[in-house]
Amino acid sequence: MDERFIEVPDEKSKTAVRRIVDMEPLLVRWLDYYIKSGGNVQNGVTPASNLRKRLRAVRKEAGLDRWPQDAPRRTFASCWLAVHSDVKRLNLLMGHPSPAMLWRHYHRAVTQKQAKAFWKIEPPPTKTAKSKIVPFAA
């Protein structure tokens, strides 16, 4: 959190290449909210085990029956590209070998208006935060 980056180790990376990804300011605010709300960060924000099971429970609680594969990753890429228009930088963030695939799949996947609305989804004020679910608590 202090340095505001995420390390993606090569063994966890889809392309088997280690990379450092700068955290977007919005992510930092959400993680700060999670921490201040009592979220467990002792061994990282996401659990080492049962992640899929926990995510299913969160989606069920949120009323999301259908969840497209890689939805958060694709949403990030589409909204980031719509606002920043920098496919080369996005390519580095996503860890792809070439920007061609990114451009093909994410360019104009959302409008700039939709992307700007996405980047405005802020966490609630911390002092009133009473989370019903803490999905990643140990």
Side-chain angles (χ1 to χ4, degrees):
M1 279 294 286
D2 293 339
E3 296 184 59
R4 297 185 179 197
F5 72 82
I6 298 167
E7 176 187 359
V8 181
D10 56 355
E11 65 271 8
K12 298 287 184 179
S13 169
K14 194 173 184 180
T15 57
V17 176
R18 177 185 175 266
R19 67 184 184 279
I20 301 294
V21 179
D22 295 326
M23 285 192 234
E24 290 293 318
L26 182 60
L27 173 60
V28 172
R29 290 191 296 276
W30 272 103
L31 290 174
D32 187 53
Y33 165 77
Y34 175 74
I35 292 164
K36 287 179 179 174
S37 298
N40 182 5
V41 293
Q42 204 165 30
N43 296 312
V45 176
T46 58
S49 64
N50 296 324
L51 178 60
R52 289 181 196 273
K53 181 179 176 182
R54 293 174 189 200
L55 287 173
R56 271 188 229 108
V58 169
R59 289 193 297 265
K60 183 178 179 181
E61 182 71 22
L64 298 171
D65 296 329
R66 190 177 162 273
W67 188 264
Q69 183 173 340
D70 295 331
R73 180 179 168 85
R74 290 176 180 197
T75 301
F76 166 80
S78 299
C79 292
W80 196 95
L81 187 57
V83 169
H84 297 287
S85 300
D86 186 348
V87 73
K88 288 182 181 180
R89 175 75 180 134
L90 181 61
N91 191 66
L92 292 173
L93 293 172
M94 301 293 287
H96 288 280
S98 148
M101 191 281 301
L102 284 173
W103 191 257
R104 190 171 48 255
H105 290 280
Y106 302 118
H107 177 64
R108 303 213 187 257
V110 298
T111 67
Q112 195 170 54
K113 182 179 177 180
Q114 291 167 326
K116 286 179 179 179
F118 170 82
W119 290 111
K120 288 182 182 178
I121 302 173
E122 294 284 339
T126 309
K127 55 185 165 185
T128 60
K130 295 285 186 212
S131 182
K132 189 170 156 184
I133 291 181
V134 180
F136 303 122

